[in-house]
Amino acid sequence: MRPGALAAIPARACSVIEYESNGLRFQTLTKSGVTIMFAVLPSHLHEYTSIQVAVSNGSEGPYVIRPEDFTYMRDGSVPVRAARRGR
């Protein structure tokens, strides 16, 4: 599975682990103790695709990770930056 990739952590710097849980296919990246897990959700809203992301900080230091730190890249297309949270 590789419908897209998150670029918060460069994939070349770590190994991608893929697994399935509750019918969703996840990709997991870990670097310096920070793990990011994501899955593309099956439902679509208009022309949007939803992605479930979880971040686990097992490092010794604090990291601030915001939605706009993520980029979605579909094979052969232009990267799309995640939207900021509305208020």
Side-chain angles (χ1 to χ4, degrees), residues 2 7 22 25-26 30-32 58 60-61 64-65 69 72 74:
R2 191 129 173 101
N22 294 325
R25 295 184 56 88
F26 286 86
T30 300
K31 182 177 178 187
S32 301
E60 294 183 15
V64 176
I65 300 173
D69 294 334
Y72 181 77
R74 189 174 282 277

Side-chain angles (χ1 to χ4, degrees), residues 1 3-4 24-25 38-42 44 49-52 72 74:
M1 173 187 122
L24 295 176
R25 295 184 56 88
F38 80 97
V40 177
L41 299 177
H44 294 270
T49 297
S50 297
I51 299 174
Q52 177 180 340
Y72 181 77
R74 189 174 282 277

Side-chain angles (χ1 to χ4, degrees), residues 6 8 53 55 64-72 80-86:
L6 290 178
V53 178
V55 179
V64 176
I65 300 173
R66 297 177 181 89
E68 57 268 22
D69 294 334
F70 292 90
T71 302
Y72 181 77
V80 177
R81 189 165 205 123
R84 296 180 78 182
R85 181 177 58 142

